[in-house]
Structures are given as structure tokens and as C-alpha cells.
Amino acid sequence: MPRTATVTAPTTDAVGPVVLAVEEWIARELAHAERADAFTAGWRERKPRGEQHAIEDFLFTYYPTRPAQLRRWHPGPGVVLARPPCPASTRTPRPDDEPADPYTARTGWRWYREAPEGLVLDADAFLADRGDTVRYLRTLLAATASRPGRFGCFGLHEWAMVYRDREAGRDHRHPLPLRLGHEGTDHVVESHPVQCSHFDAFRFFTPEAGPLNRLRPTRETQPAMEQPGCLHATMDLYKWALKLSPAVPGELVLDCFELARDVRVVDMRASPYDVSAYGLEPVAIETPEGKAEYVRHQREFAERGAALRARLVEVCDALLGSAPDAPEVSATASR
């Protein structure tokens, strides 16, 4: 899928906070809302009809995403939104439940405060409430970035989630049919090394598949095991951006969403499910050609993810820059 151009939000410098002129932040807010609306259009159209999309809906259910929340633009820490001289002149289209004046609307948002120049994220209040999460995610993101990517898993986590389902009398996880059938799917798992490093994938393995995994990821060992070649670790950049919001610039949140969307498509193309109903060709990881294609996608996603991961670390550092060091926090801060 084509990628859209993004804007990098300014950050604080040694002189003081960055102040965005009214015209600039209103334009960025509107551009953000339009981009978010394009990303959520399918979900919003399907939901009233009760229709489901086995690939796209993952981003709105597993990472629970509310379209109204996603379309809210935030400038990031240390960026001041200049106060408009005449609120009525700055009106832009907004949801029905918010005031027409975007500046007035923000004064009621959590973790915002008014400064002499205008509105700014209250970093102290945010850290008071979410400091453990910020510190944990900073540790996790930096640790992941410090490791080389591993590119030999071939997406077998999805196959392990349905391994021997029929024998055990279980239904497989998705309404889509299995591309190779039950026996063919089981054979792929049994004839390949399973080496999943991502806990939130591993925890969905069937009981029969769990012992086949060469690794034993846990929630507690996640910072020590996460690695940038993992498709699910890359998708989770969107989850971490949400957990750090509203401290994350809106453009970065949508960049993480877009990458998660692209990864999800490949994740399902390489899965045991038949995705032809959605006009997609499989990445047949049971073949040498399919393995090579999967690794090509992995490497591209790892490169894109590295840039976004670095930007999320910068957000954490901006928040923690004036905060005293704190003891290492537990993995529960990530939940």
C-alpha cells in the first residue's frame, strides 16, 4: 500500500518551548483529522452494518482504537499552541460533541494547561499519572533498538495458533478457511523450527504448539527478548504510541498506525488462512520463494520501525528530561 507523507513535529530546544502560530497548528490539526478519517473509513462504514473484515479489524479490536480519539491531533511535549486572537476565526470541522473553536475544545482535554503563550502539554502532570509507563516503554523501545533483527521465524506464530485445532475439537481463530487445510497446516508447523520471541503472539499458541517453540517469552522478559525483526513488535509501536498519548505528536501516532496496517496485511498473507477473498495473494512461507518474500517484507518493516521507534524514544526522553531517575518498573506498566 502507498505511504503518505508525514510532518515531523518540532521539539523543545535549549532556548525554550516551540510556539506554533495559530495558522500552522490549525492546518496541521485539520490535515491530521483528514488523514485519520481516511484510515478509519472502512471500519466506520462496516460497523453500523455489523460487517467484519478479518484483516483490517485487528487494528480496531486488538489495539482498541476509537476513530474519534485517533483523529485528535496533539503537538507533543514542549510545543505551545498559540492562543487565537479571535476564536471564531479559527473554526475547523469538529465532532458534534466538541466546541467549534479548537482552542477552547483543548482547554478541557486531560493533561493540557494554559501557559503565557498558549496551550501546552502538562508534562509534570502526565508523568505524575503515567511516569511508570513512560519509563518502562523507554527501556523496552531502547532495548529493542539495540539488538539486530532476526529474520528466520517466517511468521509461524500464526500457524502455531491453530496447530492441531481439529484434533482437539477446537475452532480455528478466524472465519477464513485454512489455505492448506488442517493437516497441511499442522505439517508446516511440525516441519519448521518455531522460534517466536514475542510474548503477545506466543501466549495465543495452542497448548500443543507451545512446547515446540524454541524460546520462552514472558511478560517479564519482554524487554530482554523483543527484537526489531518481529512483525508483532513492529505493529506494537502503534500500541506504545497510544499508551504515550497525548504526549506523542499526532503525525507520529498515524505513522505508527500506517505501519501497523501494512504489517498486518503481510502478517495475514503469510498466515495459514486463505486471504484470496480480500483480493490478496498468499506469502507461501512453506516454500523457498515464500520464505524469501517474507524476509524481504520483514527487513523493510524493520527499517521503517526503527525510525518510528527512535522517534518514540525521543518523546520519552523529552518527557523524562527534567524528571528524577526512578527505580526500574515492572512489566505491568506496559498493560
Side-chain angles (χ1 to χ4, degrees), residues 136-155:
Y136 174 81
L137 291 181
R138 206 280 177 197
T139 298
L140 173 65
L141 292 164
T144 304
S146 72
R147 301 185 184 105
R150 296 203 296 271
F151 303 102
C153 69
F154 306 121

Side-chain angles (χ1 to χ4, degrees), residues 10 61 69 74 106 111 160 185-186 227 273 302 321 334:
T61 54
Q69 181 185 30
H74 300 284
R106 288 174 181 274
W111 295 309
T185 299
D186 293 347
Q227 52 89 16
Y273 302 107
S334 71

Side-chain angles (χ1 to χ4, degrees), residues 43 73 81 104 132 157 170 247 252 304 318:
W43 167 260
W73 175 78
L81 304 181
T104 301
D132 282 355
H157 56 276
R170 296 183 296 260
L252 177 52
R304 290 171 61 186

